[in-house]
Amino acid sequence: MDRKEMKNPVLTVDDAPEPNVKVRSRKTRNLLVLEQLRKEVQMDEHMIPLQELFERLQVDPSYGHTNDQVERLLQLYGPNALSPPITLPVVLKFAKHLVGGFSLLLLAASALSFVALGVQYIDDSIQDTVDNLFLAIILIGIVLVTAMFTYYQEAKSEEFMKAFEVPVEKTVVLRGGMRRDINIDRLVVGDIVDVKFGDKIPADIRIISCSGFKVDNSSLTGESEPRPRYANSEDPDPLESKNLAFFATDAVEGFCTGVVLRTGDRTMMGHIAQLTGTLNAEKTPLSSEINLFVTFITTFAVTIGVIFFILAVAKGSTFPNALIYLIGIITANVPEGLLPTLTVCLTLAAQRMKARKCLFYKLEAVETLGSISVICTDKTGTLTANKMAVAHLWYDGAVHDAHCMEYSDLSTQRRPQSKGWEALSMVIGLCSNATFKENQGHIKIMDRKCNGDCSESALLKFYELEVGSVTEFRDLHTKVFEIPFNSSNKYQVSIHEWDDESYVLVIKGAPETVIKLCSSFLDRQGKEESMHTSFSEHFTSAHDQLASQGERVLAFAHKHLDPRSYPQGYVFDPEKADELLQGLCFAGLVSLFDPPRGNVSEAIAKCRMAGIKVIMVTGDHPNTAKAIGRAVGIISPGVHTADEMLTSNGVHSSSQPQAIVIHGADLAHMTDSDIEDVLHNYSEIIFARTSPTQKLRIVEGCQRAGLVVAVTGDGVNDAPALRKAHIGIAMGITGTEVAKQVADMILLDDNFASIVSAIEEGRLLFDNLKKTISYALTANIPELTPFLFFILAGIPLPIGPIAIVLICIGSDITPAISLAYEKAESNIMQRPPRNPKTDRLASHKLMFHSYAQIGMIESAAGFLTYFVVMGESGFMPSTLLGLSVAWNDPTANVQDSFGQDWTYDNRKSLEYTCYTAFFVSIVVSQWVNLIVCKTRRNSIFKHGIQNYYTVFALMAATCVAVFLTYFPVIGEYLSFREIRIDWWVVSISFSLLIFTYDELRKHFIRQWKGTTETLFLY
């Protein structure tokens, strides 16, 4: 369709605000965007009569579009989805890796190598120019290879994330006279859609009818308060009109039916996306810590390099030689293969998380799970199986079994009729919005799929079994008014036509709420009787009996409205609901049972061993919550709650209770300090009958207590707590789109055990990242100390810059990557949660371990090998001190300890032999370092060599060393020389020392967890 013909054309880049105007504040930017929207978007669809609108859109509101109309409109306007954001071209993505991390430092070192090459060429010092040329080329090659590898791994990680993205959202639409679920990207202009609380608005729609409908427009306008929507509005400004709801905003209360006005890029949200462009992604804690680590290493390398460059010049070294020392120190400090290895760790985490049914919007957030110290979890669907069925009923003064699970065929089994049962079943059938999905007539009733939450679906199936077709019954009694359930009122109300002259009001909700609205009940003869003390006692006893069995209890009531006050055609006003909800007649109780998931008890026990406190936060009755809490292990066997330990005098017994169940009504009167005291004094906690606001207070209380909090949620009202928590976890199956949007993680199977698996994965990721960094940094010390001794002690250089670089990229990169595949240590879920403020990824303890402990041993191994080679060639250690100036002077005559003369070429050949021997000693030491880095606490004898990538890495590192040492052509150009076999074994004693020392260190950490762990656990 031509742009000129479009009613509201898509905004182009030319329509956007001037790019040179820098908007510093997000709030200011949003205001500018809204102002731009008001100028650009002109529409009248919200002002004209509905009938005229339907004619313009060519749709029958009672039938919807036909399939042919849908296909034509899809071809005309395209799918109902925003155009994907503009992504960086492949070339620019690759370029980012070329200059990211340590790449700039290596490129700078390469540039310095070219400078040294040029100076030496000008001075006719051709002897060392080849070394500098090869060093410069190798450094550039490292940057290119690292960039390619990192780019490949990042692309691979992105593909994994795409592979388990949440499926496209669905919405209910009227098509061909039937309501059906479709993907929202299949919506077209003129579709008639149903939206309920918890849904995302599927397109820009005009409200046709609604009940208590409110939307959260904060993603569009920045207004945090939910805004009511009505079918009528006279405001010409679309953004202020109350009969419009906009694409991608949230329905937070009630429900509505609307007609689609705009789809995709033509929606208000589509205009905003094009006006504002893409936003810079916020950095995760892990990426920030890695950047901090890169900055530290870069600063340290440059600082040490410059200091020793100045010292070298001050001691008489030529500028080119001092420059080479600077390059050597820089390359010695840079773990060139580390960042690609970290990328591999994250990619592997993506694979494992996919297998564990967990989706993270930012993969680096997996690491945060490793520090979780408390999980605030819902009950229904997370701890339980979300397979709810009616278990018991209480009417006519007695508890009756429902026998739902005993029905095995499609026939219904009618229970004995009574006035009490007739009243209760009538309310059950009418006071619900659940419906069966289409084309399931051949399926057993209990196996049918439903539209609606698990509680309403259970009631629907129960009615269908016990009474008959709920659809026919509802058709006889048309709904004319509804007050949807919300967490504040804790009830749902609807009004239906009862006969030609009157209406009936039905209500279901929390028993303690509904009973307060009732003034009468039905006796055994079906007569209304006023409430009295005896009935209240029976009610309380029945409720407690059912709740104590772990069953969710709902109360039902009704009221036949006086036709004189509410005649046919009366328009009910939700603002006057209090008048309607007076003098109700209590009908009965229904309890529903949702069995605990089979693997939840084991998962909670694992949490307890891992030092993670599991707190149940539920809207259910305390007795129900307590029963389920005991069943799944939140309250341990044999442990009594605080209320159970009260004596008859209302005083606690002498022992301090471990568990407590707190009612939302009591929580409302607790101060922040009281909440913190509860968290501190009780190890097993359940909060029942809580509101979303109270759930948020619980999360904030945990955070004030210094705990790292994960929170589960599935509803709109859970969004504040999900957003506030360190890790918000939304349910993938039952969760609303609002909850999923604000969460950090989505459980694709809604299973609590998957959270525990994800925590274990987070701990493993952190462990493996630490092991990788420790392994990579250890080699920095034996690579750095030769330059320090060369400058400070004046000995001939033990190892050259090219050999250092080849250690990092040749022999060390495959072992470092192999640690990313390491399995979890057996005690990984028996440790307390790490403190993210003190136990950092690249902590000072890790530096101390790598540099001052293992690194120093490897340095000693390298120097021993160096002195052995020099000594066997005639140069005793005492002779080497202060010899470097003459050693590197082509005109100088140098004698060894036995008086033999050494020419410059012979000296250089011996120096290259030392390079090779020192290189080999580091490789041999790193063999053992790789083995000991496989665990941080456990003995390697217990852990074993389960990771066969380690074996391959050891073989690969050895092959690289052999190739460089014994392949003549390569050795000639890279300053390597063939060495004797016995020089390989010189450093083995130090390798054994590394292994023995680290095993003893881990033994002391396991035996004495206090001071020893603090000092030596990196």
Side-chain angles (χ1 to χ4, degrees), residues 771-997:
K771 294 171 187 175
T772 299
I773 293 173
S774 176
Y775 175 83
L777 292 184
T778 298
N780 286 3
I781 293 301
E783 293 167 359
L784 177 63
T785 49
F787 287 92
L788 304 185
F789 276 85
F790 169 70
I791 294 172
L792 298 177
I795 65 174
L797 188 62
I799 188 170
I802 292 179
I804 289 173
V805 171
L806 290 174
I807 288 173
C808 293
I809 66 164
S811 61
D812 269 4
I813 192 166
T814 48
I817 291 175
S818 75
L819 289 172
Y821 293 86
E822 199 62 44
K823 304 297 183 183
E825 296 179 48
S826 60
N827 66 346
I828 195 168
M829 290 300 286
Q830 296 171 8
R831 313 171 190 166
R834 73 178 184 88
N835 187 333
K837 295 181 180 179
T838 57
D839 192 1
R840 309 294 296 272
L841 187 61
S843 63
H844 65 278
K845 290 191 291 185
L846 184 146
M847 300 287 188
F848 179 71
H849 172 80
S850 298
Y851 286 163
Q853 297 175 45
I854 308 300
M856 285 300 182
I857 298 175
E858 290 193 5
S859 294
F863 276 104
L864 175 62
T865 307
Y866 168 76
F867 287 127
V868 166
V869 173
M870 280 293 195
E872 291 186 3
S873 300
F875 290 92
M876 295 295 105
S878 59
T879 307
L880 294 174
L881 296 175
L883 190 60
S884 62
V885 175
W887 185 276
N888 291 315
D889 186 353
T891 63
N893 184 36
V894 175
Q895 291 185 339
D896 61 20
S897 301
F898 303 100
Q900 299 180 70
D901 291 329
W902 284 75
T903 65
Y904 179 78
D905 289 340
N906 289 336
R907 297 197 303 269
K908 281 297 173 182
S909 180
L910 177 58
E911 182 179 328
Y912 295 155
T913 302
C914 290
Y915 287 1
T916 309
F918 206 107
F919 170 88
V920 166
S921 74
I922 295 177
V923 170
V924 172
S925 299
Q926 286 287 81
W927 287 347
V928 178
N929 187 32
L930 177 64
I931 299 299
V932 300
C933 280
K934 288 169 67 67
T935 64
R936 292 176 62 209
R937 287 179 172 85
N938 283 357
S939 168
I940 191 64
F941 295 107
K942 180 179 181 181
H943 186 73
I945 310 294
Q946 306 173 44
N947 178 10
Y948 294 106
Y949 289 98
T950 303
V951 179
F952 170 78
L954 289 172
M955 295 173 60
T958 305
C959 290
V960 169
V962 170
F963 180 74
L964 292 173
T965 303
Y966 299 107
F967 197 74
V969 177
I970 295 294
E972 186 67 29
Y973 285 105
L974 298 181
S975 303
F976 275 72
R977 293 293 184 269
E978 184 175 333
I979 63 172
R980 298 189 339 228
I981 297 298
D982 56 304
W983 288 343
W984 280 73
V985 301
V986 173
S987 60
I988 286 182
S989 59
F990 287 91
S991 298
L992 295 175
L993 176 60
I994 290 173
F995 184 83
T996 304
Y997 168 77

Side-chain angles (χ1 to χ4, degrees), residues 475-771:
D475 288 342
L476 289 174
H477 305 286
T478 305
K479 183 190 299 183
V480 296
F481 176 76
E482 180 171 0
I483 300 176
F485 177 88
N486 64 61
S487 57
S488 299
N489 297 333
K490 298 188 184 301
Y491 58 68
Q492 175 189 354
V493 177
S494 60
I495 297 177
H496 302 257
E497 294 178 351
W498 185 245
D499 51 36
D500 294 338
E501 298 180 355
S502 64
Y503 297 103
V504 63
L505 179 149
V506 290
I507 181 174
K508 76 169 183 287
E512 61 268 34
T513 301
V514 173
I515 197 68
K516 292 177 182 177
L517 302 174
C518 296
S519 60
S520 62
F521 66 96
L522 292 179
D523 63 15
R524 296 177 184 275
Q525 287 73 41
K527 296 180 180 180
E528 286 196 25
E529 186 175 340
S530 297
M531 289 283 184
H532 49 69
T533 304
S534 176
F535 176 83
S536 298
E537 291 174 352
H538 283 94
F539 165 84
T540 302
S541 174
H543 176 260
D544 291 347
Q545 174 189 340
L546 298 174
S548 64
Q549 299 175 59
E551 297 171 9
R552 171 182 287 181
V553 184
L554 296 174
F556 295 77
H558 68 285
K559 175 183 178 181
H560 288 278
L561 301 181
D562 187 346
R564 292 171 296 180
S565 301
Y566 304 98
Q568 280 292 313
Y570 183 87
V571 178
F572 293 93
D573 185 354
E575 301 297 328
K576 299 179 180 179
D578 290 343
E579 297 178 10
L580 295 169
L581 298 177
Q582 292 180 4
L584 304 185
C585 178
F586 184 81
L589 297 174
V590 175
S591 68
L592 305 102
F593 184 66
D594 187 10
R597 290 182 183 269
N599 52 0
V600 166
S601 297
E602 180 183 348
I604 290 177
K606 188 179 288 188
C607 283
R608 189 167 278 121
M609 285 192 299
I612 301 169
K613 182 180 291 188
V614 180
I615 299 174
M616 182 194 296
V617 184
T618 178
D620 275 338
H621 190 273
N623 288 346
T624 304
K626 187 195 299 184
I628 294 296
R630 289 194 183 282
V632 299
I634 290 179
I635 299 179
S636 304
V639 172
H640 296 290
T641 61
D643 60 308
E644 291 171 343
M645 295 180 68
L646 286 173
T647 64
S648 58
N649 295 325
V651 180
H652 280 94
S653 62
S654 57
S655 60
Q656 173 65 32
Q658 299 178 24
I660 189 170
V661 179
I662 299 177
H663 195 290
D666 298 325
L667 181 60
H669 299 293
M670 294 173 67
T671 64
D672 292 343
S673 177
D674 292 335
I675 295 175
E676 292 176 39
D677 288 342
V678 168
L679 294 170
H680 177 74
N681 294 326
Y682 296 92
S683 58
E684 301 173 358
I685 305 171
I686 293 175
F687 292 97
R689 280 287 191 253
T690 55
S691 67
T693 304
Q694 290 174 332
K695 188 172 187 177
L696 179 59
R697 283 192 68 201
I698 294 166
V699 172
E700 291 173 337
C702 292
Q703 292 175 332
R704 283 193 304 272
L707 302 173
V708 181
V709 191
V711 173
T712 69
D714 55 8
V716 175
N717 295 321
D718 292 321
L722 290 171
R723 187 182 288 111
K724 180 67 176 176
H726 295 98
I727 291 287
I729 305 171
M731 302 298 109
I733 299 173
T734 61
T736 62
E737 297 307 322
V738 178
K740 293 175 185 177
Q741 182 187 35
V742 301
D744 303 288
M745 167 182 162
I746 295 178
L747 283 185
L748 299 180
D749 60 355
D750 288 11
N751 192 344
F752 179 85
S754 297
I755 302 175
V756 181
S757 298
I759 291 174
E760 184 174 352
E761 189 61 46
R763 292 188 175 192
L764 174 60
L765 174 63
F766 185 81
D767 265 15
N768 286 352
L769 289 176
K770 277 219 163 197
K771 294 171 187 175

